[in-house]
Amino acid sequence: DAKTTQPTSMDCAEGRAANLPCNHSTISGNEYVYWYRQIHSQGPQYIIHGLKNNETNEMASLIITEDRKSSTLILPHATLRDTAVYYCIVRVSSNQGGKLIFGQGTELSVKP
Amino acid sequence: DTAVSQTPKYLVTQMGNDKSIKCEQNLGHDTMYWYKQDSKKFLKIMFSYNNKELIINETVPNRFSPKSPDKAHLNLHINSLELGDSAVYFCASSPISGLYNEQFFGPGTRLTVL
């Protein structure tokens, strides 16, 4: 699975959009980009995933560059409850048993 | 109503003891996982089971033995506990092994070995 690089931490004002970048320059053609988050003292939570098209769901939007070497997770109106560590993961759709390889993630602090 | 549950939530024990952590999912999923999150917050997969069959074993010491009595349960038994086993252990499940389905995580079990 390709390696990802994310900023260690970011701040965001409550109510503003939070844009979390992820670099995955060695991504292969059959690898998806996944985003999970982990709120303090809880288990990780799936947010969104995509292959090459931009995706949106009730939680967030995922923008993947045309060359697929990077992506951005957008939380359109961040709230205090969005404070968490956000993990960008790339993996093939049918790799060895579905394991997720977590990096260090981005610690997002949403401030009032 | 809980999707993935783990017991106990906290476990404090002495070095050398044997302990078990239980995991149950009521989502009807085929695949279950165990992850370990160490003190530096790195999450790493340990095992994956699909329909009660082991499909991933990430070079975990033999002291760790997962057991899946049925599709809804994946328990983790740890023999001869060591200080380095102190961590938070997360169970997870997903609908189909290896495909792009999301994984649902339990609340975690914080294991402290003294």
Side-chain angles (χ1 to χ4, degrees), chain A residues 6-96:
Chain A
Q6 299 177 250
T8 304
S9 63
M10 291 180 65
D11 289 342
C12 178
E14 189 179 18
R16 306 297 291 265
N19 297 294
L20 292 95
C22 179
N23 183 289
H24 32 78
S25 57
T26 61
I27 193 170
S28 301
N30 62 347
E31 286 184 312
Y32 286 73
V33 180
Y34 287 77
W35 283 84
Y36 279 74
R37 74 180 181 183
Q38 187 175 21
I39 295 170
H40 182 61
S41 297
Q42 296 184 22
Q45 176 191 23
Y46 166 86
I47 302 173
I48 199 167
H49 76 275
L51 183 62
K52 48 186 169 182
N53 296 324
N54 298 337
E55 302 287 345
T56 296
N57 63 20
E58 64 279 2
M59 287 183 71
S61 294
L62 174 60
I63 309 298
I64 303 174
T65 57
E66 194 168 338
D67 63 7
R68 302 209 323 122
K69 292 183 186 297
S70 65
S71 60
T72 301
L73 178 75
I74 301 172
L75 307 178
H77 305 288
T79 70
L80 298 178
R81 286 177 293 181
D82 291 321
T83 292
V85 179
Y86 287 77
Y87 297 97
C88 170
I89 301 165
V90 296
R91 56 169 277 223
V92 298
S93 64
S94 57
N95 80 336
Q96 312 88 337

Side-chain angles (χ1 to χ4, degrees), chain A residues 32 34 36 38 41-44 46 49 87 91-100 102-104, chain B residues 9 31 33 35 37 41-43 45 48 55-56 58 90 97-103 105-107:
Chain A
Y32 286 73
Y34 287 77
Y36 279 74
Q38 187 175 21
S41 297
Q42 296 184 22
Y46 166 86
H49 76 275
Y87 297 97
R91 56 169 277 223
V92 298
S93 64
S94 57
N95 80 336
Q96 312 88 337
K99 69 180 179 182
L100 295 171
F102 290 84
Q104 69 173 31
Chain B
K9 187 166 175 62
T31 306
Y33 312 81
Y35 288 82
Q37 187 166 39
K41 303 295 186 183
F42 283 107
L43 260 166
I45 190 163
S48 170
I55 51 175
I56 291 178
E58 288 288 306
F90 290 98
S97 166
L99 297 184
Y100 48 77
N101 305 81
E102 64 182 277
Q103 293 185 17
F105 284 78

Side-chain angles (χ1 to χ4, degrees), chain B residues 22-69:
Chain B
K22 295 186 176 182
C23 177
E24 176 181 2
Q25 55 95 2
N26 62 4
L27 298 167
H29 290 167
D30 292 316
T31 306
M32 296 185 72
Y33 312 81
W34 277 109
Y35 288 82
K36 177 181 179 181
Q37 187 166 39
D38 61 24
S39 57
K40 295 184 178 177
K41 303 295 186 183
F42 283 107
L43 260 166
K44 191 172 179 184
I45 190 163
M46 301 172 68
F47 300 103
S48 170
Y49 268 73
N50 179 246
N51 283 317
K52 303 196 299 174
E53 183 179 337
L54 180 67
I55 51 175
I56 291 178
N57 181 340
E58 288 288 306
T59 59
V60 176
N62 291 338
R63 299 182 296 102
F64 290 79
S65 53
K67 286 187 172 47
S68 182

